[in-house]
Amino acid sequence: MRQVLSVASECAPLVKTGGLADVAGALPGAMAAEGWQLKTLLPGYPAVMEALKRPRALRNESDLMGGPARLLGGKVAGLDLFVLDAPHLYDRPGSIYLGPDGKDWPDNPERFAALSWMAASIAAEGIGNWRPEVLHLHDWQAGLVPVYLHEMEAADRVGTLLTIHNIAFHGLAPASKLKSMRLPQWGFHPEGFEFYGQIDALKAGLKFSNKLSTVSPTYARELMLPEFGMGLDGVLRARQADLVGILNGIDGIVWDPKTDPAIANYKSPKKKAANRGRLIEEFGLAQTDGPLAVVISRLTEQKGLDLLLQALPEFVARGGQVALLGSGDAALEKAWMEAAESMPQVSVRIGYDEPLSHRMMAGGDAVIVPSRFEPCGLTQLYGLRYGAIPVVAMTGGLADTVINANDAAVAADVATGFQFHPVTADALEAALMRLCDVYSNKSAFERMQRRAMAHPVGWSASAPRYAALYESLGTHP
Ligand code: ADP
């Protein structure tokens, strides 16, 4: 098999804060079927170190950005891992990105510069006689790899692909850190990795990787627009010829309503009823004739859940109910808890709970994703698979994965969900009214659920596209 080193800051099932982890965890399995073996380089967070039983020590560094480090190798949960064990950078409790004050760890630039440096070093020197043909870099945390490769004079030894999972996060650092991050002065200007006087790790990846991808065709186009590019739209326009959008798939073993251990299994939407009943009970809601919609999300500005708060009164007036699971911004958490206080049709769990997220997809009639931007989005894909009809903003991957129930699509029986545009509370409310309309026609709604459940959401279309990209970068015939 041909070899790829995948470099990520999180990877399911070991450590996850969002969709990046799902993708980093699912890609190795999906790409093996295409003849590419992915080994994944991860930081040695406590959860990763704990899961790594009997690791092999592969390399020692006496000083990697402020302390000693080891590169370990091992297999966990079917994944081939390299783990960067650097206690001064990763051995800390709580969130992998945030300190106890809820702010980024101050040394995040060094933490992920070290990961990137190690990735470049593995590609430059190999591990024994193992060498990757391609480095698959994920987000800003791996963005500096091509710079280090250049410094190691190894840029021609390996192809680099950077995948943008979310351009909102740049990985900025003050210029005073150039030295501690082992970065060369030559790159620090606007045509390199400088972003308005700061070091920008994502920009480094966008400027110097051989190829770029993002996680949906629509987001690939949006990224080149000022409204979505977060200051890097010009960089992406300049690299348009090297940028493609490839949809994420879901892990079809973890997310399968026929075998999911967290739920009462079902093949057809009729059999969702048992799960729906349990979910209503679990959230203290009522058995009504209206749709039960679920939300599973980080609570941030991006996700548009403030818009849903505004649309709630009309939705519950039509008999709708909402169960929300999420955590994030304190103000949004508070606003949702207040909504739950004042409306018995709304129930909220603040927290992060994977088994509960499965029960919600299994029990929900619909899943609402009103994101202002959404590179791909995974929850609408889980919704499709589980027959929880997506009600989504028409942006990014949400635009690419749901077939909107406009009049023509309803008449032709092809729709799999509801999309709204522009991303406003009024447009969302109108989409929720359309959901209520279709929901009131039981057989039409069930046909929509059946189509949703049959819609392909795995890796079968996307894996060959990544394989073609790897092939275009590979160093061997
Ligand atoms: P993002 O990566 O922007 O957060 P995605 O939709 O791509 O958005 O991925 C989010 C992932 O995190 C999904 O797998 C979703 O189920 C999961 N998730 C988000 N919030 C929670 C939560 N509170 N509890 C359990 N899972 C969650």
Side-chain angles (χ1 to χ4, degrees):
M1 290 236 273
R2 299 175 69 181
Q3 302 295 316
V4 176
L5 178 63
S6 169
V7 186
S9 59
E10 49 184 281
C11 183
L14 295 172
V15 50
K16 163 168 162 174
T17 72
L20 165 61
D22 292 297
V23 176
L27 261 184
M31 296 315 295
E34 302 289 322
W36 290 88
Q37 183 178 24
L38 269 66
K39 293 185 192 275
T40 307
L41 173 64
L42 283 178
Y45 310 117
V48 175
M49 295 302 293
E50 223 162 85
L52 198 65
K53 305 275 186 286
R54 281 175 289 133
R56 283 170 292 126
L58 301 172
R59 198 181 281 182
N60 279 307
E61 295 292 330
S62 58
D63 181 10
L64 184 60
M65 304 197 191
R70 295 185 304 165
L71 183 69
L72 305 175
K75 258 196 149 178
V76 180
L79 297 165
D80 254 313
L81 296 185
F82 290 125
V83 173
L84 180 56
D85 176 26
H88 64 295
L89 300 173
Y90 309 126
D91 185 13
R92 25 188 109 160
S95 154
I96 56 174
Y97 303 128
L98 311 177
D101 57 359
K103 298 207 175 86
D104 285 352
W105 293 108
D107 61 346
N108 272 356
E110 287 89 352
R111 295 173 76 218
F112 298 104
L115 185 76
S116 299
W117 187 90
M118 183 52 78
S121 161
I122 293 171
E125 293 170 28
I127 298 288
N129 54 15
W130 187 85
R131 252 172 212 260
E133 279 184 63
V134 174
L135 285 175
H136 191 162
L137 314 173
H138 299 280
D139 272 351
W140 74 265
Q141 291 91 345
L144 294 170
V145 172
V147 180
Y148 296 128
L149 277 176
H150 183 275
E151 291 306 284
M152 295 171 191
E153 296 182 1
D156 55 353
R157 255 175 261 170
V158 65
T160 45
L161 165 65
L162 178 88
T163 297
I164 305 161
H165 296 265
N166 192 334
I167 205 164
F169 305 107
H170 287 214
L172 295 176
S176 59
K177 290 199 179 207
L178 274 173
K179 213 167 174 185
S180 68
M181 292 168 71
R182 300 188 181 177
L183 289 170
Q185 192 67 46
W186 62 257
F188 192 69
H189 58 84
E191 282 305 306
F193 51 75
E194 180 195 339
F195 187 77
Y196 300 101
Q198 292 192 281
I199 299 163
D200 185 324
L202 182 63
K203 186 175 176 187
L206 299 182
K207 291 293 280 189
F208 301 120
S209 299
N210 300 122
K211 295 267 180 191
L212 305 174
S213 75
T214 188
V215 290
S216 68
T218 295
Y219 195 57
R221 287 191 298 276
E222 289 172 343
L223 282 175
M224 291 185 266
L225 305 171
E227 303 91 285
F228 291 94
M230 307 276 176
L232 293 172
D233 45 293
V235 175
L236 285 161
R237 282 196 297 278
R239 296 222 51 196
Q240 184 162 12
D242 295 316
L243 171 66
V244 297
I246 303 177
L247 280 174
N248 287 334
I250 66 170
D251 186 325
I253 295 170
V254 177
W255 290 95
D256 182 349
K258 294 194 281 300
T259 54
D260 189 335
I263 62 167
N265 297 142
Y266 57 95
K267 279 194 200 131
S268 78
K270 272 203 176 62
K271 297 278 170 57
K272 277 175 70 90
N275 293 295
R276 189 180 191 276
R278 280 181 211 174
L279 190 64
I280 281 179
E281 215 166 278
E282 183 167 4
F283 272 85
L285 295 165
Q287 285 290 355
T288 65
D289 291 337
L292 168 61
V294 300
V295 177
I296 298 148
S297 185
R298 293 186 290 119
L299 299 181
T300 65
E301 156 91 11
Q302 174 193 342
K303 299 295 180 177
L305 293 163
D306 50 319
L307 306 176
L308 180 55
L309 279 171
Q310 296 174 53
L312 280 178
E314 284 300 316
F315 184 50
V316 304
R318 280 287 304 269
Q321 299 190 92
V322 175
L324 174 137
L325 166 65
S327 63
D329 295 351
L332 266 174
E333 289 185 357
K334 184 161 167 273
W336 271 93
M337 287 189 295
E338 282 167 6
E341 282 280 298
S342 64
M343 286 176 267
Q345 301 89 341
V346 177
S347 183
V348 169
R349 295 283 176 281
I350 298 297
Y352 188 93
D353 186 336
E354 285 193 23
L356 177 58
S357 73
H358 286 241
R359 296 198 292 279
M360 291 171 74
M361 289 295 176
D365 301 310
V367 56
I368 308 176
V369 195
S371 307
R372 292 189 162 86
F373 67 95
E374 193 58 80
C376 178
L378 288 170
T379 51
Q380 84 281 12
L381 301 180
Y382 302 145
L384 288 168
R385 192 102 203 269
Y386 280 60
I389 292 299
V391 179
V392 302
M394 199 181 279
T395 185
L398 302 173
D400 294 336
T401 53
V402 173
I403 302 171
N404 183 28
N406 56 27
D407 292 346
V410 171
D413 255 341
V414 295
T416 58
F418 300 87
Q419 293 176 323
F420 61 93
H421 184 84
V423 188
T424 60
D426 285 346
L428 168 58
E429 190 182 297
L432 290 171
M433 296 304 110
R434 288 192 283 141
L435 166 70
C436 292
D437 291 342
V438 177
Y439 190 77
S440 64
N441 179 340
K442 285 287 169 260
S443 75
F445 191 73
E446 217 177 277
R447 285 200 305 279
M448 192 185 268
Q449 284 178 307
R450 268 182 214 285
R451 276 194 305 276
M453 290 176 73
H455 188 90
V457 289
W459 285 95
S460 58
S462 296
R465 298 201 61 203
Y466 274 115
L469 261 184
Y470 291 168
E471 185 71 47
S472 74
L473 291 167
T475 45
H476 303 303

